[in-house]
Amino acid sequence: PHEAAPSTRRVLIGNLDFGIMAEDLEELFAGFGVQRAWIDYDSTDRSLGTGGAVFEEMGAAVAACHRYHGSMIDGQTVYMELDHSKGKGKGK
């Protein structure tokens, strides 16, 4: 069975502090080969406390999840998981 490889390089992140910006996530994941990161916003441009990142390799995405899932970032315990959806979404 053929899996869409790009979706396994995407990581979804939840319970982020509302002050976290995409640039903060890119800096946090710099050592893991992050290609881009994003924060989800509502219609009034307020953070939803969720976001994600795309990594160069699936192994890097897995490593970032293992390193940061359940850890404290800016006083919040963040949750990370691989995005196994079939691709459409905020990650552009």
Side-chain angles (χ1 to χ4, degrees):
H2 179 66
E3 280 290 307
S7 67
T8 58
R9 296 182 300 126
R10 287 171 48 112
V11 171
L12 302 177
I13 308 163
N15 203 41
L16 290 166
D17 180 86
F18 296 125
I20 296 277
M21 308 290 285
E23 295 80 15
D24 298 322
L25 294 179
E26 288 172 354
E27 184 178 316
L28 182 70
F29 299 135
F32 293 94
V34 67
Q35 289 183 320
R36 66 185 176 275
W38 69 92
I39 299 294
D40 298 319
Y41 294 95
D42 69 13
S43 61
T44 64
D45 283 335
R46 285 188 300 199
S47 171
L48 297 173
T50 60
V54 178
F55 294 85
E56 292 172 10
E57 299 177 0
M58 185 178 110
V62 171
C65 282
H66 284 302
R67 168 64 181 87
Y68 289 107
H69 176 74
S71 67
M72 295 285 281
I73 299 176
D74 282 7
Q76 299 278 107
T77 302
V78 299
Y79 305 99
M80 295 179 59
E81 64 181 0
L82 292 175
D83 179 7
H84 292 290
S85 69
K86 292 295 181 202
K88 295 191 178 97
K90 298 264 185 180
K92 299 176 188 140

